[in-house]
Amino acid sequence: MIYVDAEGREYAVDAVVGESVMAMAVKNGVPGIVGECGGNASCATCHVWVREEYARLVGSPGDLEEDLLDLGVSERRPTSRLSCQIAVASDLDGLTVDIPPDQP
């Protein structure tokens, strides 16, 4: 899994299937993913932009996530997701997400 910050720096992480994209970032010290609520989908401080080539595999946000994205992020994009709501799966090998410059 690859995280790309606002300056273009890449952080490669060996992700664990079943963990969330947010948990992997926090456990590996990836800057910019705060995860204030601990992955409970209540804060939007783990907002990422999923790269287009992975958007279909990751899927769409659920209703609660949609609400948080609408209200809680500074720049919502079509591939915006809360990384706490993306479970690492084997078919997501190489998943790349961009981290916004600011989290709520």
Side-chain angles (χ1 to χ4, degrees):
M1 167 173 301
I2 301 170
Y3 302 84
V4 182
D5 71 13
E7 283 78 43
R9 290 182 294 253
E10 293 187 359
Y11 302 86
V13 170
D14 288 327
V16 176
V17 171
E19 290 278 359
S20 72
V21 171
M22 181 220 62
M24 294 285 56
V26 171
K27 288 177 182 178
N28 288 281
V30 175
I33 303 286
V34 180
E36 248 176 48
C37 72
N40 293 308
S42 62
C43 72
T45 61
C46 66
H47 174 226
V48 295
W49 299 307
V50 176
R51 293 277 174 101
E52 190 63 42
E53 61 268 26
Y54 293 98
R56 185 184 58 74
L57 291 171
V58 168
S60 301
D63 292 340
L64 176 60
E65 185 178 354
E66 283 281 359
D67 290 344
L68 287 167
L69 289 167
D70 282 342
L71 300 172
V73 300
S74 57
E75 184 184 346
R76 172 109 191 239
R77 294 183 181 175
T79 61
S80 284
R81 290 294 309 268
L82 298 181
S83 60
C84 68
Q85 299 301 297
I86 303 171
V88 175
S90 58
D91 64 339
L92 293 177
D93 186 39
L95 173 65
T96 302
V97 298
D98 295 295
I99 304 168
D102 298 304
Q103 294 286 6

